[in-house]
Structure formats: structure tokens, C-alpha cells
Amino acid sequence: MFKKHKIVFSLTAALLGLAVSDLNAKSPDATYHPFPDGYGYLKDGKVLSDAVEKGDTIPLREHGWRLWAGIMQEPKGMNWPVWYSWPNATGIYKNPDATYKPCPVGKAQNTGTASAHKAHGLMALNKANIIQDDLTLPAYPVPEAVIKAYPKATYLDSNGNCTIMDGKHFQSNGDIMIANEAFSKEAADWITQNKLNRKATLVDLDAKGFHLLDAPKKHIVTKHMYWPVKKGQMGVLPVWKEDYGPNFTKYAGYELWNETIAIDPTGKKAGQEVQTKYLYGVTFDGLDKDRIPQLPITKTSKVHDIKDFYYHQVTKEDWKSFDDGDKAILNAASYWAYDQPFEEGDYLVTISMHINTKEVPSWSLNSVWWTPEPDKTIYSQNKPKDLKAKGPWRHYDLVDSYDITPKPGFNMPVAMNPYIELVIHPVATNCQNCHIRAGYKSGYQSKECPDMLEHLTTDKACLLRKLLTDYQWTIPDRAY
């Protein structure tokens, strides 16, 4: 049985053979802005620990709301949220030796996507568990206009599918959602200085029998999702209304939700109802025929003012700062949503975000998503009354997940973000159960640990012989 070795932030260079220059490397973004003061980050450690021990979710949720509001504030001199200035997965996990085969122009593309590959890979690894077996996903072929406009930002992956490269600011999600995986400076430094962004390091540690990586306390990992909205016209967004219950085991992504809303950049038609259309060029091969929607999806949608969202209008300066990967990601999302390219002056609206911090050893896991009816569900509860943050943070729902041991005979509750989880996971999942499994040679599901709502600990037999990466899937998923 492997011993519970840990790697801490002060790990010696000799252990991993690090060069001095690696240890002295500066943050990859010179304009970095830390998490702002006044929102409880690193101030409530004992409160959080006591609440986890007692199973008291109120102070935990209040803390999550403060984190969410704080991370969306705009630092002085910047018109993006604070996380936009942070190192992201593109830079941290960039392989300098990678070579790419370009996508052919004028030839039908295979219908795979980055998110589909990830989900099907999970299924292949974890075929024994029925909950994941029938999760067939839709496919988003890269629009030919994107391949022609940004040939250096599209490539054929190992399965022969045309895929969009990660950009300087955004990471390719393989669907309409525009992702950014951002890391606090301390998190980025810990990963890069210890060379945890390289598979060779993980292979070496695994061979030596290491079991637990241990990130520093001052450590934030995020995943943020934007949705495109065209200037001068109504945007369209599918919204989650608990369409599928926890026993539903098939695909339940946003394309199959029952309700959409319209987003008015002018706000003049807020409260009215209009006809909307969205979703172009998507295929649903393998999905039950009676569940395949008629495309484009046409619905009567209630109009919401764009000010109900955190949003950003892309300026000429923004467009110049984007690389071809960013532009390809934005354009593909806009073509899939509206059958139109993304342009300067178009908008990005925040629809969801994970905010994971190491303030307690078992992590503070919080996730938000936009809701058309704030304060209507259990996920709107416990908003701090004294929180006077800028922006519509109250128009979002929040789910939290901590290492709270459930009562005997009970499982952990379903805790997932419908926008982020349901495009690759079944409904019945829990953030803690998922993230504690993160590790080298570790899968989301396994024969030994099949229950997605079981309360797991790192000494559980099914996790004991794994190199666990301290609640962080980005390390094993992206290491090159």
C-alpha cells in the first residue's frame, strides 16, 4: 500500500529536478490583479472549518456568494472582471514542442468536438457504470467559415476531428460556451514551478508511489463561461428550469432544455415576448430520435435586459488583443448560436462559473449560473444582506459543495452547474465527489467507486492507489 506522501509548495527543486530559473519565473501576466479585499477571501478560515465540521451550510453559502461577487469586480483601469487578468490554462499548459495538422478546407468535417471527446473518453475508461454508458452527446463541427478565416487556429486531433486551438484568453469548449480557466498567481506558480503541467512529472511521482499532491492554501482555480450576443439584435439563451431530475441518466445538455430567453442589448423590450431562433450546424447522431430537436430551435422567449447579466462589449482594442485561437472560438460560438460571425461591438454575457479555493483542506467548491427568476429556488438562498458589490450578482444561483459527511444512510446531495456539468456529465453528480477523484490515471467513474453521490475521502480503497492532484482535474487533463 502506498504511503500518503504529499507535495507541498516548498517542495525542493532537487526532488523534481527543477531548474533555478523555473523557481524564479514571474507571473505570465504582468497586469495581474489579485482577488480584491472586502469579499471574505482568506478571512473566514476558522468559520468555514467549523461550519464544515458541524454541517452548517449557511456560513458556507454566504462565503460562496462573497467569492462570486468579488471575483466579478472590475479592477481600476480594467473593464474586464478581475479573473481576466489571471494566468489561464492556455499559458500554463502550453506545449512548446506541439505540432498540428491543419484542417482541410472545402471538405466535410468529422463531427467530433473537444467536449465530446472528453466525455466519450470518460465513458471508455468507466464503462462498468450504467449511469455514464448512455450519455450520447451532440456534435459541433467547426464551421467552414472559421477554418477559412483562422487556418492556424484549427487542427485535426488524433481522431481526425477538426478542433479549435485554445486562445490566449479563451479555451476551446467545443460548443457555444466560451470558456476561460483562470488561476490565481499562487496556483499558477505552484503548478509551473513544480512542473505539474508536464506528464513526465506525473509519471515520475506515480512511479515513486506518491499519493496526494497538496496545493498551497492561497490557491484559486476557476472556470468561467461566456455566451455570445450580437449587437443590434436579440440574443438567445437556453435556461435551466430543473428540466431533468437526478434519476435521468441520458444527455441533458442545454440544447434539450425546455425554455429559452431573449437578451436585449438595448433593454427597451425587456418583459416582452419575442420569437427566437438559435443552434445551427449541430448534429445529434446517436441521440434518441424522439429527443432530437428541430433545428434551428424556435421558441417564444421572454426578453431580459442585458444588464441582468454580467456582460462585456468587445471593443476594437479587445479584438486586437485576441489571438487567432480566441477569434476562432468566438466566431464558432456565434455561428453555432446565430449562424453569424462574431464582430467588434458584440457582447459576451456571463452564464456560469466555478470558483474553487483552498481555504479549507478539502476545498471550498462554489459554482454559479444565471437564472431568469432570482430568489425563487434553494440555490438563491443565503445571499449576504450587507454585500454591496457592483453588478447583478443577485441574478445568479449558487451551488456549494464541501467535505460535509452526510448522515448515516444518506448520500451527498446533487450539486452541479447545469451549464458546465450537463454537457459532459449526468445530472446526479456532486462537486466534492467529482473533484476528490482528480488524479493521474484516475477516472470520473470506476468499478471500485461507481457512486457519483457517495461521500469519498482520500483514503478510500478505490482512490488509495492513485496519484491524486488535490481536487484539480486540469493537472491530469491538460499536462503535456
Side-chain angles (χ1 to χ4, degrees):
M1 185 176 293
F2 293 154
K3 295 181 180 179
K4 296 180 183 177
H5 296 293
K6 291 186 178 181
I7 300 176
V8 296
F9 187 63
S10 59
L11 185 68
T12 63
L15 180 61
L16 290 179
L18 298 179
V20 174
S21 59
D22 290 321
L23 293 173
N24 293 331
K26 294 181 179 180
S27 169
D29 193 331
T31 59
Y32 178 84
H33 293 273
F35 194 96
D37 292 332
Y39 295 91
Y41 176 57
L42 289 178
K43 304 295 183 183
D44 303 329
K46 189 175 187 311
V47 173
L48 297 179
S49 297
D50 290 347
V52 171
E53 183 69 25
K54 297 175 183 177
D56 183 1
T57 61
I58 293 177
L60 301 177
R61 288 185 56 78
E62 289 178 346
H63 181 70
W65 283 117
R66 294 183 192 278
L67 292 177
W68 157 238
I71 208 166
M72 291 302 292
Q73 299 306 296
E74 296 180 357
K76 186 176 180 180
M78 194 173 95
N79 63 349
W80 291 86
V82 64
W83 56 260
Y84 190 80
S85 73
W86 292 6
N88 63 51
T90 302
I92 293 172
Y93 295 98
K94 186 176 181 63
N95 182 355
D97 300 319
T99 58
Y100 300 96
K101 185 176 181 180
C103 297
V105 176
K107 180 180 178 182
Q109 302 301 322
N110 290 350
T111 56
T113 69
S115 59
H117 290 328
K118 183 175 181 181
H120 286 296
L122 289 170
M123 284 188 284
L125 289 171
N126 307 303
K127 196 67 176 176
N129 194 303
I130 191 67
I131 199 170
Q132 191 86 341
D133 284 352
D134 52 7
L135 191 61
T136 301
L137 287 81
Y140 285 76
V142 179
E144 179 135 338
V146 174
I147 299 172
K148 289 181 178 179
Y150 306 103
K152 293 182 180 179
T154 57
Y155 68 100
L156 291 178
D157 65 14
S158 58
N159 295 310
N161 298 303
C162 186
T163 304
I164 299 175
M165 293 182 185
D166 290 338
K168 178 182 177 182
H169 296 284
F170 305 116
Q171 286 74 60
S172 179
N173 201 59
D175 56 23
I176 298 174
M177 295 185 291
I178 299 157
N180 175 287
E181 294 177 307
F183 300 72
S184 63
K185 180 182 183 300
E186 296 80 8
D189 286 348
W190 180 73
I191 293 169
T192 56
Q193 290 175 3
N194 290 311
K195 296 189 177 180
L196 298 174
N197 55 351
R198 306 185 191 183
K199 284 186 179 178
T201 303
L202 303 183
V203 170
D204 181 55
L205 293 172
D206 181 61
K208 291 176 179 176
F210 280 90
H211 176 45
L212 298 172
L213 303 190
D214 189 17
K217 184 176 182 179
K218 199 172 184 181
H219 196 102
I220 308 175
V221 181
T222 73
K223 186 167 188 175
H224 179 280
M225 294 294 191
Y226 275 130
W227 188 273
V229 173
K230 295 287 296 174
K231 62 184 176 183
Q233 65 186 63
M234 291 287 178
V236 191
L237 176 71
V239 291
W240 176 247
K241 289 291 190 71
E242 303 287 344
D243 300 85
Y244 301 94
N247 296 324
F248 188 81
T249 62
K250 297 184 179 182
Y251 181 74
Y254 61 78
E255 304 93 343
L256 304 182
W257 296 353
N258 295 325
E259 187 172 323
T260 59
I261 60 100
I263 304 172
D264 184 2
T266 70
K268 294 179 180 179
K269 293 187 177 182
Q272 299 180 23
E273 291 188 341
V274 297
Q275 287 291 110
T276 57
K277 292 183 179 181
Y278 96 104
L279 205 62
Y280 297 81
V282 180
T283 62
F284 290 86
D285 296 341
L287 207 67
D288 296 342
K289 290 184 179 180
D290 61 343
R291 301 185 67 223
I292 298 176
Q294 183 174 347
L295 300 180
I297 294 175
T298 304
K299 291 182 182 289
T300 300
S301 304
K302 184 177 180 179
V303 179
H304 285 260
D305 191 331
I306 199 170
K307 292 180 181 178
D308 288 345
F309 295 80
Y310 279 107
Y311 71 92
H312 180 88
Q313 187 172 22
V314 173
T315 65
K316 182 180 293 185
E317 290 73 25
D318 291 331
W319 194 253
K320 288 180 180 178
S321 73
F322 297 154
D323 66 7
D324 279 5
D326 293 321
K327 293 175 181 178
I329 290 167
L330 292 169
N331 270 276
S334 187
Y335 275 113
W336 289 324
Y338 308 113
D339 200 26
Q340 300 176 56
F342 193 93
E343 303 166 297
E344 295 173 18
D346 289 345
Y347 298 83
L348 299 171
V349 299
T350 293
I351 59 169
S352 61
M353 188 174 193
H354 289 331
I355 310 163
N356 300 337
T357 71
K358 187 71 184 291
E359 295 168 279
V360 290
S362 57
W363 289 72
S364 166
L365 306 175
N366 295 278
S367 193
V368 301
W369 64 92
W370 190 84
T371 175
E373 298 178 327
D375 301 319
K376 295 290 186 181
T377 73
I378 59 172
Y379 302 110
S380 289
Q381 294 177 359
N382 311 119
K383 294 174 180 173
K385 295 180 180 179
D386 63 338
L387 183 53
K388 296 180 174 61
K390 293 181 180 179
W393 63 273
R394 293 178 176 274
H395 227 297
Y396 293 77
D397 277 352
L398 179 144
V399 66
D400 63 287
S401 183
Y402 290 80
D403 190 23
I404 296 176
T405 304
K407 295 178 181 178
F410 288 85
N411 268 342
M412 302 188 80
V414 171
M416 59 86 191
N417 187 310
Y419 285 101
I420 298 176
E421 265 70 56
L422 294 186
V423 295
I424 53 172
H425 294 314
V427 177
T429 187
N430 176 281
C431 310
Q432 191 272 349
N433 178 292
C434 173
H435 280 271
I436 198 173
R437 299 168 184 260
Y440 178 66
K441 294 184 179 178
S442 180
Y444 173 62
Q445 291 178 318
S446 65
K447 294 179 181 178
E448 299 83 5
C449 276
D451 192 346
M452 296 294 95
L453 299 178
E454 179 185 3
H455 178 249
L456 296 178
T457 56
T458 56
D459 58 358
K460 181 80 173 178
C462 60
L463 299 179
L464 201 54
R465 295 182 180 272
K466 309 288 186 183
L467 170 61
L468 299 182
T469 50
D470 200 4
Y471 284 71
Q472 298 175 82
W473 278 110
T474 59
I475 294 174
D477 284 351
R478 288 187 174 271
Y480 64 87

